[in-house]
Amino acid sequence: MQNVLNYLTEHQPRFVRELCDYVRFPSVSAQPQHKNDLAACAQWLLQHCRSLGLDARLCPTAGHPILIAKTPRPKSAKAKAGKRRQHFVVYGHYDVQPAEPFELWKSPPFEARIEGRSLFARGACDNKGQNLAHLKAVEAYLKTGTELPCDLTFVIEGEEEVGSSHLAEFLKKNRAELRCDAVVISDTGMPDINHPALTYALRGIAALEIKVHGPSRDLHSGLFGGSLDNPAMALCQLLAKLRDKNGRVAIPGFYDGVIPLSAYERKQLARLPFTESGYKKFLGVPQLFGERGFTSIEQRTSRPTVEINGLTSGYQGAGSKTIVPAWASAKLTFRLVPGQQPQRIIPLVARHLKKICPPTVRLEVTSGHGGEPYLVSPTSARAQAALRALKAAFQREPVLMREGGSIPIVTDFKKILGADTLLLGLALPDDNAHSPNEKFDLGCFEKGMRMGALLWPELAACGG
Ligand code: BES
Ligand code: MN
């Protein structure tokens, strides 16, 4: 093992350069004009994996390709003796969120910039840096001729940021090849570099777009305004009804089935490093807001929410244009917690909106992607093994936490492959995931690789 760790230390500068190459691909899955960039990024990954000695291929989908890369399967004496080698899937994604608004970036989002110990680029932490850390850990085994104690299959997809639309079907078709003892994902966060974390719960998600239609065309607001409803106003009034003053989602039935936080969990969450004033300052808000009766950490990791992600209507250009717009639209997502399913929430919300929509406008609701919430025991033998690897790599006591973000495919890993997922995130709260000036901390990159290397003997020792 020492030679594996030494290899990682010796080759850090090259690994950083390789991460720079990886983040230069503008692999924005939400934007059709980047289709070829996703293909090029997948090709780069393919060549990279092959150069490490992995058995890699790209699997086309109706969307973006999925990369599969396997460690060489040894025909060792043990394997011949009939002892089953453990198999783990390492999941990641090479697609990234849109980089807009570009003008807020200190340097172009798809040109890697290193400042101090941070590498700035869209996708640096979410998720290229994190999945590359795992690839580099495996490279260290393969290039030092150190036998891996288990078999690994990397599954790196290009549609995570748009709901992983084609991955579940791929898992079903390739169930035999992907059957595994557990899935490992580094695509979540940790409170700070001194608190490595094992995340045992994620929120789910339900996405919808709504459009309020008014007059058949934009109208002069002086000539006609006052005699018909304004779709932008009607939309705002509708949206305002979705949340009450106590920060609760005001849709009947929304909280049905929600599994409450146990007293034990609340106690654990309260131990995470946090100050209200520091958090307020970090967010840049004059005052915090959230569901009454819960702490900020509980609100953003363990309680369901409604968010408006985008709001569009009328004239957005310079100066003013006096119109009653023909339409107004909003992109909404609901974060869900254990006990809530997107298949139930999406129609529930759609029906409620139709019910409260005034007859003066026409409402169109389009259902978007969904992802189920995830909750797994943090006390399993494999979770304990992961905690040991985190501790050894970071030289700090790891924490257990829940996260508010979503990785929809995690519940499919459970349903289709029967495997639990270990979430070993390397992103820091100020890494600006999904925001301008996204970065990845090079210390997290390095420690993440060490964690990746130390993890396999720990997990393999747990047995099947
Ligand atoms: N890596 C994130 C998810 C995440 C980040 C979970 C931090 C926990 C902590 C992932 O890439 C992501 O952003 N997912 C989307 C999913 C959606 C587009 C279906 C999300 O959570 O918004
Ligand atoms: Mn993301």
Side-chain angles (χ1 to χ4, degrees):
M1 177 51 76
Q2 198 49 52
N3 50 348
V4 170
L5 297 177
N6 290 345
Y7 180 95
L8 289 176
T9 309
E10 276 161 32
H11 294 268
Q12 275 311 301
R14 172 169 59 85
F15 298 158
V16 172
R17 287 198 299 275
E18 288 168 344
L19 179 54
C20 291
D21 291 339
Y22 193 7
V23 298
R24 283 193 195 104
F25 293 95
S27 47
V28 182
S29 51
Q31 300 175 335
Q33 72 268 30
H34 285 298
K35 192 170 170 46
N36 291 338
D37 298 313
L38 278 119
C41 188
Q43 271 298 331
W44 180 89
L45 260 182
L46 174 70
Q47 297 312 329
H48 194 77
C49 288
R50 287 185 175 157
S51 76
L52 309 184
L54 296 170
D55 172 13
R57 65 180 198 273
L58 286 183
C59 306
T61 70
H64 304 299
I66 298 167
L67 172 103
I68 298 293
K70 304 196 271 192
T71 51
R73 307 298 196 237
K75 296 260 174 296
S76 73
K78 258 192 228 157
K80 275 182 213 142
K83 207 163 170 207
R84 194 181 69 86
R85 261 169 83 82
Q86 305 254 310
H87 177 213
F88 299 100
V89 162
V90 183
Y91 165 85
H93 61 94
Y94 64 86
D95 65 321
V96 303
Q97 285 273 321
E100 286 86 345
F102 292 108
E103 64 278 12
L104 294 185
W105 285 78
K106 274 179 65 187
S107 55
F110 298 108
E111 279 172 26
R113 173 174 61 94
I114 295 173
E115 189 185 308
R117 291 291 281 160
S118 301
L119 190 158
F120 287 87
R122 170 57 88 229
C125 76
D126 187 6
N127 168 252
K128 289 171 175 173
Q130 300 198 57
N131 61 59
L132 192 63
H134 281 285
L135 284 170
K136 296 291 109 181
V138 170
E139 170 183 333
Y141 277 90
L142 298 178
K143 297 290 180 188
T144 57
T146 311
E147 196 188 334
L148 270 159
C150 51
D151 293 334
L152 302 178
T153 302
F154 285 85
V155 177
I156 305 184
E157 69 153 323
E159 300 185 290
E160 196 274 346
E161 299 291 6
V162 287
S164 300
S165 359
H166 299 99
L167 187 55
E169 192 190 315
F170 180 85
L171 296 181
K172 282 182 196 149
K173 280 206 182 119
N174 296 275
R175 190 182 275 147
E177 182 184 15
L178 298 175
R179 190 165 53 215
C180 60
D181 295 281
V183 179
V184 169
I185 305 182
S186 290
D187 191 22
T188 50
M190 55 199 226
D192 59 54
I193 196 151
N194 294 320
H195 292 83
L198 172 72
T199 290
Y200 65 93
L202 292 171
R203 286 194 289 190
I205 191 165
L208 294 127
E209 276 197 52
I210 66 177
K211 192 163 179 183
V212 169
H213 298 270
S216 55
R217 61 212 178 277
D218 289 355
L219 297 171
H220 191 300
S221 62
L223 297 188
F224 301 102
S227 67
L228 75 165
D229 204 352
N230 179 309
M233 185 66 79
L235 177 66
C236 291
Q237 287 169 336
L238 266 183
L239 295 176
K241 287 191 182 126
L242 296 182
R243 197 182 72 185
D244 72 16
K245 65 177 193 313
N246 294 323
R248 282 180 63 89
V249 178
I251 299 175
F254 182 78
Y255 289 91
D256 289 0
V258 165
I259 300 170
L261 276 168
S262 67
Y264 174 77
E265 276 191 282
R266 296 190 81 168
K267 208 167 123 192
Q268 295 306 312
L269 291 176
R271 290 172 52 178
L272 294 174
F274 177 84
T275 65
E276 197 173 306
S277 57
Y279 188 52
K280 201 171 84 176
K281 199 165 157 217
F282 166 67
L283 297 181
V285 293
Q287 199 183 315
L288 296 175
F289 176 84
E291 188 182 359
R292 190 186 280 179
F294 295 91
T295 66
S296 296
I297 291 181
E298 291 168 351
Q299 287 163 352
R300 66 172 190 79
T301 66
S302 317
R303 295 297 299 168
T305 58
V306 55
E307 297 293 347
I308 301 171
N309 305 129
L311 201 51
T312 312
S313 185
Y315 177 67
Q316 314 275 349
S320 102
K321 184 183 183 203
T322 47
I323 53 166
V324 175
W327 56 268
S329 69
K331 292 180 191 285
L332 303 180
T333 51
F334 294 79
R335 292 288 165 170
L336 311 179
V337 301
Q340 289 177 309
Q341 282 84 33
Q343 313 87 279
R344 184 180 73 84
I345 296 296
I346 291 177
L348 181 90
V349 172
R351 272 199 307 274
H352 180 69
L353 285 167
K354 294 218 165 109
K355 200 174 138 195
I356 63 172
C357 180
T360 49
V361 289
R362 182 171 64 81
L363 178 68
E364 185 189 353
V365 181
T366 313
S367 314
H369 57 80
E372 291 183 33
Y374 187 65
L375 178 67
V376 70
S377 164
T379 60
S380 68
R382 290 198 186 100
Q384 300 307 307
L387 289 170
R388 285 194 293 277
L390 284 169
K391 182 172 176 176
F394 285 84
Q395 301 283 299
R396 292 282 188 283
E397 206 55 56
V399 295
L400 292 176
M401 59 184 220
R402 295 173 71 135
E403 279 271 34
S406 309
I407 309 178
I409 202 64
V410 166
T411 52
D412 290 311
F413 284 132
K414 181 72 182 178
K415 282 190 226 165
I416 300 167
L417 305 179
D420 284 327
T421 294
L422 291 163
L423 296 159
L424 304 167
L426 303 171
L428 297 176
D430 65 353
D431 274 352
N432 297 322
H434 296 205
S435 294
N437 303 306
E438 177 176 349
K439 68 165 175 70
F440 192 41
D441 186 287
L442 296 176
C444 292
F445 189 36
E446 179 166 7
K447 293 192 168 74
M449 293 177 208
R450 294 174 76 87
M451 182 274 290
L454 292 160
L455 184 63
W456 307 122
E458 289 287 358
L459 282 181
C462 291

